[in-house]
Amino acid sequence: MLYELCIDEKAMTNIAVFASGTGSNAVNLVKAFNSGNRIHVALCLTDKENAPVIEKMKDLGVETLFFPRSVWKEQPQVILDTLRSHDIKIIALAGFLCFLSDEIVNAYEGKILNIHPSLLPAYGGKGMHGANVHKAVIEAGETKSGATVHIVTNEIDAGPIVVQKEVAVLPDDTPESLEAKVHDVEYIAFPEAVLKLVTSLTPPAVPKSVDDAWADALGVPNNVPPIPLQQPVKTEPAPVAARQEPMPDTFLVWSVITTILCCFIPGIVAIINSAKVSSKYYEGDMEGAKRASRNAEIWIIVSFVLGVITNTLYIPLSIAGLF
Ligand code: GAR
């Protein structure tokens, strides 16, 4: 049975962690997500009755259930029902050493992540887990190893890689020291991969088509092709690159002086253009700002020249008694 696994962009996404051992990755996921409001480790399942992860998860307030291997193998429906009753959307395998049945993998296709302590595809497959991997890496004289988080498919350790992080293997490294280094990068890689998966499964907030909106409102199926709604035009802030050139001269002071002392009308035109320089500049319109600066300069000259002509004519004419 396939569950409805669509992720709602506003709702909390519940994840389940499956673990068989110490559970440091499981604990890390709880610490990474459970104080936020987007992703919640809501359930931990284990196949080991006395696994240390059980107490740790209980201490963190995460419901933790043990199912024997026979249930995992022969009654996968019991596991799926448990996941469904907790509204689990994503599963994270954090050192889970039990075989996952096809029913579970298929029901959560593309939504199960596994963390593996090597740079997959190297050192993956049957028998390659935990300390065995680090031992094999050291024995092979590798100079690097790491952690891989991948999507679980029906083939062991072979699904698409979501996040991979490297560590250096030094000549004096032991399987234990390498394990500690790999764990450190796992604590970064696993939350990153969970977040990536949740984000990739969350539908973008696109406006509904007119037909979908009507079909929703009327409660009827919509079989006609959708008519996309017009996306609102976004006014972007001025691009930083556009502001990297200095602002052209506004000539505001000269505009005001020539307006008062020379000729009024061209002076006002000069002031308007001076004011436009800064507004165009901060809108990111560098060409417009340069044009306004040039215009301001031209109208200052016009105002000045007209002012000189009028004053030159005014003085002799006033002496001659015509004014
Ligand atoms: C982790 O290193 C994980 O990569 C590995 O088991 C360890 C569990 O540690 N998983 C595998 O080997 C799976 N093939 P933890 O219990 O401290 O999280």
Side-chain angles (χ1 to χ4, degrees):
M1 176 180 175
L2 272 170
Y3 297 137
E4 182 43 68
L5 294 171
C6 182
I7 290 182
D8 184 331
E9 70 181 295
K10 285 185 219 95
M12 181 74 92
T13 300
N14 281 343
I15 70 171
V17 176
F18 294 0
S20 309
T22 48
S24 67
N25 276 288
V27 167
N28 181 57
L29 287 178
V30 175
K31 289 186 175 163
F33 294 121
N34 281 20
S35 50
N37 57 6
R38 187 68 189 90
I39 297 169
H40 188 75
V41 180
L43 183 66
C44 174
L45 300 186
T46 183
D47 61 319
K48 287 267 169 61
E49 198 168 4
N50 299 314
V53 67
I54 298 174
E55 280 313 306
K56 290 182 186 166
M57 293 303 260
K58 283 186 177 166
D59 287 348
L60 290 167
V62 177
E63 186 177 344
T64 303
L65 303 169
F66 156 71
F67 290 103
R69 289 216 163 163
S70 56
V71 173
W72 289 94
K73 199 168 164 211
E74 289 145 29
Q75 298 169 272
Q77 201 54 46
V78 172
I79 307 291
L80 287 174
D81 288 345
T82 308
L83 295 171
R84 185 169 53 168
S85 68
H86 288 77
D87 192 26
I88 298 298
K89 306 290 192 196
I90 283 177
I91 299 168
L93 306 187
F96 186 63
L97 301 181
C98 173
F99 182 73
L100 265 195
S101 71
D102 286 353
E103 281 89 339
I104 298 174
V105 175
N106 294 341
Y108 277 84
E109 191 185 349
K111 297 178 180 79
I112 309 179
L113 290 170
N114 176 47
I115 188 146
H116 186 82
S118 77
L119 296 174
L120 286 177
Y123 301 96
K126 215 165 181 294
M128 277 294 160
H129 53 80
N132 294 355
V133 176
H134 305 303
K135 211 164 157 257
V137 168
I138 300 262
E139 277 170 8
E142 301 285 0
T143 53
K144 62 181 184 179
S145 186
T148 306
V149 184
H150 67 96
I151 300 280
V152 171
T153 60
N154 300 102
E155 216 180 316
I156 303 176
D157 297 333
I161 290 171
V162 181
V163 175
Q164 191 163 66
K165 302 239 182 252
E166 272 185 31
V167 298
V169 183
L170 303 175
D172 58 350
D173 264 325
T174 61
E176 292 73 28
S177 67
L178 179 57
E179 181 175 38
K181 280 199 264 190
V182 171
H183 259 131
D184 283 345
V185 290
E186 287 186 339
Y187 301 149
I188 299 162
F190 214 1
E192 196 178 311
V194 170
L195 199 57
K196 246 185 167 176
L197 183 59
V198 170
T199 309
S200 74
L201 296 173
T202 308
V206 174
K208 282 184 177 174
S209 72
V210 175
D211 290 317
D212 281 342
W214 274 111
D216 274 359
L218 300 173
V220 292
N222 171 25
N223 298 325
V224 282
I227 303 165
L229 289 175
Q230 189 77 38
Q231 290 279 353
V233 179
K234 258 173 90 189
T235 327
E236 294 292 342
V240 176
R243 291 197 204 149
Q244 276 169 357
E245 265 188 73
M247 183 163 66
D249 205 333
T250 64
F251 299 109
L252 188 59
V253 174
W254 284 109
S255 299
V256 173
I257 292 173
T258 50
T259 306
I260 297 167
L261 298 181
C262 301
C263 197
F264 187 71
I265 295 173
I268 292 291
V269 180
I271 290 177
I272 292 169
N273 277 289
S274 295
K276 271 191 196 166
V277 176
S278 57
S279 60
K280 293 274 177 201
Y281 177 74
Y282 287 113
E283 279 167 17
D285 179 5
M286 197 59 190
E287 273 314 301
K290 282 181 183 166
R291 210 176 315 115
S293 173
R294 252 189 329 271
N295 288 342
E297 198 176 7
I298 290 167
W299 283 103
I300 288 166
I301 295 169
V302 171
S303 174
F304 178 76
V305 171
L306 286 178
V308 170
I309 292 170
T310 358
N311 286 324
T312 322
L313 290 175
Y314 179 80
I315 295 163
L317 288 177
S318 62
I319 292 169
L322 289 174
F323 277 104

